[in-house]
Amino acid sequence: MAILITGGAGYIGSHTCVELLNAGYEIVVLDNFINSKPEVIKRITEISGGTFKFYYNDLLDKSRLEEIFLENNIEAVIHFAGLKAVGESVYIPLQYYHTNILSTLVLCETMKKYNVKKLVFSSSATVYGVPERCPISENSHLGALNPYGRTKLMIEEILKDLHVSDTDWSISILRYFNPIGAHESGLIGEDPHGVPNNLMPYISQVAIGKLKELNVFGNEYPTTDGTGVRDYIHVVDLALGHLSALEKVTNSTGIDVYNLGTGKGYSVLELISAFETVSGKKIPYKIVDPRPGDVAVCYSDPEKAKESLGWISKKGINEMCEDTWRWQSKNPNGYEKSFEVESPHLLPVRVF
Ligand code: WQD
């Protein structure tokens, strides 16, 4: 029985594939490389020593997706695939709704057709919008502020309706806070397209000299040092949260939502300081105006995942910075190397 990982070449998907292989799971990986590079697939194998089938596939291609279900004995699906940039989603909302929602509908329809009803879905803390209070629990007020967050919220509602229609479905919805860090090997990590939108990859690119200085978006928030506070979680802890959720959906039915965070908040200046300590590099920065849409403080109450999934984050902020620095130092230009992917129509399934 295999686990299908959609978007398995992405930042969180690749780290989850490594942990699944390490745990002895048989996996089948699907990715269209819109947010990743083929090189990642080779590195997953290099780290884990495991082999798996890879399909160069777009989830919107229903006939190709059906082939995957026909060719493999899929037991459950972990669904990462989708567009994920908050800022970008404001400018191309139709592409976000089309890609994120339609691909999820195609996936669920195909899963239903082949009687595969165990699903772990990648959601986001952006569904909370401006939190009324912190720590944020799963029953906090919901209200996404951008098209990306709204696609996640809509998909959550679709999955809840799906379960109402057929209670044989077993679904875990995981709301991520701020994933950062990298696998300890330094072989896989976060590789944003172009200039990073998110804080940690921006800091690490300043540290290697690729970017000149960091713009700190505001220092007049009601926080200890005036800069924004977030719940940074190590991507490996996040990946292990998916294995806990997979066990849950495999051994029960029902649908539930879980925050995956540490329950601790760090400010921008605190993260800069931690990164300078572990890297030995000075991170020059200047305070600029707040970024529109930013909230002052956002961090999780992770108690429910601990109680129901038996999962808790273990890695601290220094390890997140150390692992980021090792990845960035080893890969100053990210996954620049990447073998040619034959034409999608000719690409056979490849076993890595
Ligand atoms: C963190 C803090 C910024 C960049 C985003 C997505 C969210 C989720 C996680 C997908 C804030 C400050 C940032 C910079 C800065 N991704 N900052 N200078 O916005 O909390 O969440 O990533 O689910 O959807 O919205 O993360 O890393 O962009 O910002 O000062 O150049 O760093 O103001 O306080 P965010 P972020």
Side-chain angles (χ1 to χ4, degrees):
M1 298 286 272
I3 311 299
L4 173 62
I5 319 295
T6 75
Y11 173 42
I12 302 164
S14 56
H15 284 83
T16 304
C17 286
V18 166
E19 299 307 327
L20 286 164
L21 289 167
N22 290 346
Y25 283 97
E26 180 192 351
I27 65 172
V28 172
V29 179
L30 172 158
D31 207 300
N32 66 359
F33 298 133
I34 196 167
N35 260 328
S36 54
K37 297 229 176 71
E39 177 66 18
V40 179
I41 300 298
K42 286 199 289 186
R43 299 214 183 163
I44 292 170
T45 303
E46 195 177 333
I47 294 171
S48 64
T51 59
F52 58 91
K53 278 187 183 178
F54 172 72
Y55 289 80
Y56 176 70
N57 196 33
D58 187 319
L59 263 183
L60 295 173
D61 184 342
K62 193 162 190 177
S63 58
R64 282 272 292 156
L65 182 60
E66 291 213 26
E67 286 170 19
I68 293 176
F69 280 82
L70 287 169
E71 291 169 10
N72 300 277
N73 189 4
I74 305 293
E75 174 188 13
V77 178
I78 303 180
H79 178 33
F80 291 104
L83 301 177
K84 63 177 178 85
V86 169
E88 180 187 60
S89 75
V90 174
Y91 296 101
I92 50 171
L94 293 182
Q95 197 171 331
Y96 269 69
Y97 288 115
H98 182 87
T99 302
N100 291 3
I101 293 176
L102 188 53
S103 65
T104 303
L105 292 176
V106 168
L107 173 66
C108 290
E109 285 159 359
T110 308
M111 288 175 70
K112 182 169 182 285
K113 180 172 181 178
Y114 292 94
N115 199 32
V116 177
K117 298 183 175 179
K118 300 179 184 306
L119 173 65
V120 176
F121 173 62
S122 163
S123 189
S124 165
T126 39
V127 301
Y128 293 114
V130 180
E132 289 165 326
R133 68 183 68 79
C134 282
I136 301 171
S137 67
E138 287 82 353
N139 52 23
S140 294
H141 175 266
L142 301 176
L145 301 174
N146 52 72
Y148 161 76
R150 279 191 276 274
T151 66
K152 292 299 186 180
L153 203 45
M154 288 175 193
I155 293 168
E156 289 192 13
E157 292 307 308
I158 289 167
L159 295 178
K160 288 172 186 168
D161 287 342
L162 175 58
H163 178 260
V164 167
S165 73
D166 176 354
T167 53
D168 286 346
W169 281 83
S170 183
I171 301 170
S172 283
I173 294 169
L174 305 181
R175 291 175 181 161
Y176 309 158
F177 280 71
N178 288 60
I180 63 171
H183 187 267
E184 62 186 8
S185 64
L187 287 173
I188 56 175
E190 190 170 8
D191 181 23
H193 290 311
V195 176
N197 294 307
N198 295 138
L199 179 62
M200 182 56 112
Y202 203 107
I203 288 175
S204 62
Q205 289 193 19
V206 169
I208 55 163
K210 199 169 178 183
L211 294 171
K212 180 169 162 294
E213 71 177 355
L214 171 71
N215 292 317
V216 174
F217 296 143
N219 69 344
E220 294 180 359
Y221 287 111
T223 62
T224 48
D225 58 25
T227 62
V229 170
R230 295 291 184 276
D231 183 336
Y232 298 101
I233 176 169
H234 197 294
V235 66
V236 172
D237 276 334
L238 194 64
L240 291 169
H242 289 74
L243 271 68
S244 302
L246 180 62
E247 279 175 45
K248 176 87 175 179
V249 299
T250 308
N251 299 314
S252 63
T253 58
I255 182 168
D256 218 337
V257 183
Y258 306 98
N259 286 339
L260 294 191
T262 65
K264 287 188 281 294
Y266 287 93
S267 74
V268 176
L269 296 184
E270 286 169 336
L271 192 64
I272 291 171
S273 173
F275 196 91
E276 288 180 331
T277 301
V278 304
S279 66
K281 297 285 185 181
K282 190 77 186 133
I283 305 295
Y285 66 85
K286 69 174 183 287
I287 305 293
V288 298
D289 290 339
R291 181 170 61 178
D294 267 359
V295 298
V297 180
C298 176
Y299 61 89
S300 69
D301 173 356
E303 199 53 34
K304 183 176 176 187
K306 182 181 174 188
E307 287 304 309
S308 301
L309 301 180
W311 171 88
I312 188 168
S313 62
K314 295 188 169 69
K315 296 174 183 284
I317 201 76
N318 289 334
E319 194 169 353
M320 295 181 213
C321 292
E322 282 161 3
D323 293 341
T324 300
W325 180 231
R326 188 180 306 109
W327 149 254
Q328 190 73 91
S329 308
K330 283 185 163 190
N331 304 273
N333 294 312
Y335 299 109
E336 54 186 343
K337 217 167 11 93
S338 98
F339 56 83
E340 274 313 302
V341 176
E342 295 91 293
S343 145
H345 307 293
L346 304 177
L347 183 75
V349 169
R350 294 174 73 157
V351 178
F352 286 86

